[in-house]
Structures are given as structure tokens and as C-alpha cells.
Amino acid sequence: MTMNPSGAPAQEPSSAGAQSASPPNEALTGDTLPEVGAVYIWLMVFAQFGVFVAFITPLAISLSIRVDQLAPGHEEYLGYITGSGALAVMVAGPVLGVLSDRARTRLGRRRPFMIAGMVLGTASLCVMALAPDIVLLGAGWILAQLGWGQVLGNLQFSTADRLPESQRGKVSGLTGFATQVAPVLGVALAGQLTRDNLLLFLVPGAIGIVLVTLFVVFVHEDDTRSATFPEALTPGSLLRKYLYDPRTYPDYSWNWLGRFLFYFGLTLNTTFTAFFFASRMGVSVDEAAGVIAGISLFGVVATTVGAIGGGFLSDRLRRRRVFVFGAGALFAAGAIVMAVSADLPLLIVGAALTSVGIGAFAAVDQALLLDVLPERETDAGRFMSITGFATSIPQAVAPLIAPAFLAVGAGATGEKNYALLYTVAAVCTLAGGLATTRIRSVR
């Protein structure tokens, strides 16, 4: 399974490292934000680690086990379930982001949504563990997407509220590392709990609850009950929040396009990984699975190198665009190597290059997004939710388009054209890196 390491960073400091959020009408942006302390950074890293253990473990293994229990021989149901969850988040994401931006509570804007998300997310895990049929299992996954997705989203919104430019790359790199390691731990843990469905879902969930609760308790936000907003929120104005004029925020728009193109190429590259490896190695998919598992563990290391290395260097050198472009080019090079490979060593080299590219792109592009985010004092949640479309749309559309490339030149033999598919993936990721070079407000 290919992870989407879109880590999110941290925020404004206090002497203890845990800090209070800026009210919605306070004009602190960019370098005017004070640096966050170490306590805040590590609480953010651990919180995102916890969310990924709780949330990605079902996607990686637990859902598959339940689908096999409830509908043996119908693996396609897993695709329907995960697709439905992704669609639900696409529809609800911007609305929930706007509501978070406008929350007026004693606990601030972000923490109430994290708490509500944990409650809903925990309930969803129980639903999936105990579901008597596929429909209820799918409903549980939708609840999980909405619940744990809100926790992760508001952690990321929080970074837009507080993180200064000088720390965005570093914290994006650290959270990117955490979100790469978390699924590995979650899958290993779930592998020991397959005999008990409740434990299979709830033990990873408990890790998420503990680590997110630490963040909620020790990272305080100011009371926002007195916050004012220029316009009332009506159904019509809420629907308009899904749209914006790209000409008004060109740098944000170029970042959105770059992310869209990169993740489109990434999805093309990874959707048929098992079949591609089996084809190039001349073995069955089952036999290729063991090789892919070994490469995946190596890929975690390579992705971590890209995420932490790219994130820290981009802060130190005060450069973003060159790292994002380099990440897109590196992934493209790896995809081309895989496209022309005829043996396992070249496949491993290509996979390693793409993994480093994924890590670097995810970390530095996240920092770049925070650099160009519009209206961060009032609409950070809204615009970060709109950015979510740049990853969710490719993940939904690219697998539907990929078979058309695979069929080109297949002829009577039925041989799939993986070389073309991986070449198109390379072009997309390179174009994604190039798009970000059009950004003018950030170096």
C-alpha cells in the first residue's frame, strides 16, 4: 500500500513548548509567528503518529480481513468501501474546515474538533469490528474517515495557525517520518490480533487516542468565544467556500496544481504495483508479494531519508521550490528506471528513487503550502481542505484511467503496457515539480 505522507507541522511557542492558539482575528502571519518549542513539535509528531496507527491500520489490513470474513471471494468490495469513504471526505472536508475556522469555544478552534473526531473515530472502529454485513462495514469506514480524518485535519490546521516559516520544513519532515513508520507498526500489531476483531481495531485505536489526547491536553488554545467574523455563515455562503478564484491567489493555485499532478503520477505508479512486479519478474502475484513486502520496508527508510533530509535542508537553506522540483524529478527518474527494468535489481533501484522522491515532496510541499496559504487567520481550515482535493481526486480518478494506458499496444497477446503507464506517471510527477517553480512569493 502506498502511503500519502502529508505530514503537518507545529505552532507558536511558550516557554514550556506548549502554546496557545492565535484568535481568528489576530493578524500573525509568516515570520511574525514566534518559533514553536520542542514540546509542541514532539506532541504534534506523536499525535500524527497515533492517528496513522489508528486510522491507516484498518486500511492496510483490518478492513481486508473483515471483507474476507463477511464476503469471501469478493475482494472488489474493499474498493467500494474505501472509495465511498474517500468520496465522503471530499464532500464534507471543506465544510468541516470552515466550521473549525469559525468555532467559538472555550477550548479554541481546533481542539473541539479533535475531541469530537476521536469520539466518532473510536465508535467507527467498534462498528467495523462488529459489523454483521458489508454495508455496515462500509458505513463504519465512512465514519472512520470523517472522525480520524478530522483529528488529522485539525492537527494540520493547527500548524497553519502557529508554525513560522523557519520551522515548517523541519516539522513537516518529522511528521512525514512518523506517518511512514506508523502504518508499519500498526500492521505488525494487527498481525498479532487477527483472532479477535475488537482487539484488531481497538488496540491501534487506543494508541491514537492516547497520543492525540496528550496533544489536546498540553497544547492550549485561546478562548475564541468572543471572535467575530465579517459575514454570517449561511447555506449559500458555505457552498461558496468550496470555490475560490485562482487568479486571486496564484501561488496557492500553482501549489495546488503541482500537488495534483504529483499525486496523479504517484497513483498511476503504485496502483498496479503487485501486477507490475509479477509481470517483470515472470512470477505469480502471490510470489511477487513477498518481494514487494521486503522492498516496502526498505522504502520506508528511503522515504524517511527524503522527508527528514528535504524538510530540514529546505528550512536551513530557506529554499522550497528547488526541493519540490527535485523531488518530482527524482520520482520521475525512479519511475523511468522501473519502466525500462527487466530484472529485480533495477526494480529495486527504481523503487528506492521513487521512495526518496515521495518523502521529499510530501515534507517540503507541505511546508510550501503553509508558506502560500491564503487567509490563514480566518480561513486556514477551508483552504487546507481544498488542498485535500489535490490528493483525493487523483487517488479516485487515476486508477480508472490507468487501464487505458495498459491496453495500448496490448494486441492479441494481452501483454499489459506497464512501460507506458510508468512513463506517463514520470511525466506527471515531473510536471508537478515544474508547476511549483511558478510560485513567486517563496524561494
Side-chain angles (χ1 to χ4, degrees), residues 17-85:
Q19 42 264 38
S20 56
S22 306
N25 53 358
E26 184 177 340
L28 283 178
T29 59
D31 283 333
T32 63
L33 291 169
E35 288 195 350
V36 303
V39 172
Y40 176 87
I41 291 174
W42 288 109
L43 286 173
M44 173 63 75
V45 170
F46 284 124
Q48 292 203 35
F49 176 88
V51 172
F52 268 68
V53 171
F55 183 41
I56 302 301
T57 300
L59 185 59
I61 186 170
S62 309
L63 271 177
S64 299
I65 291 172
R66 292 293 284 135
V67 168
D68 189 57
Q69 290 173 351
L70 296 172
H74 289 280
E75 294 88 350
E76 69 275 12
Y77 290 168
L78 180 62
Y80 302 152
I81 290 171
T82 56
S84 298

Side-chain angles (χ1 to χ4, degrees), residues 47 100 141 412:
S100 176
W141 178 245

Side-chain angles (χ1 to χ4, degrees), residues 1-3 5 176 180 262 266 269-270 277 292 294-308 327 330-335 338 347-363:
M1 184 191 70
T2 299
M3 292 306 307
Q180 283 296 300
F262 183 89
L266 171 63
N269 179 269
T270 57
F277 269 73
I292 294 169
I295 293 175
S296 296
L297 291 175
F298 177 71
V300 170
V301 177
T303 304
T304 299
V305 169
I308 295 181
L330 195 60
F331 187 101
M338 295 175 78
L347 288 173
I348 294 174
V349 170
L353 290 173
T354 59
S355 294
V356 176
I358 291 169
F361 187 94

Side-chain angles (χ1 to χ4, degrees), residues 269-323:
N269 179 269
T270 57
T271 299
F272 297 93
T273 297
F275 297 100
F276 169 67
F277 269 73
S279 173
R280 288 300 166 91
M281 294 169 60
V283 299
S284 69
V285 173
D286 288 343
E287 291 173 312
V291 175
I292 294 169
I295 293 175
S296 296
L297 291 175
F298 177 71
V300 170
V301 177
T303 304
T304 299
V305 169
I308 295 181
F312 275 71
L313 282 174
S314 74
D315 277 351
R316 185 174 182 83
L317 300 177
R318 301 182 67 83
R319 297 286 192 276
R320 306 283 193 222
R321 294 181 301 171
V322 66
F323 283 96

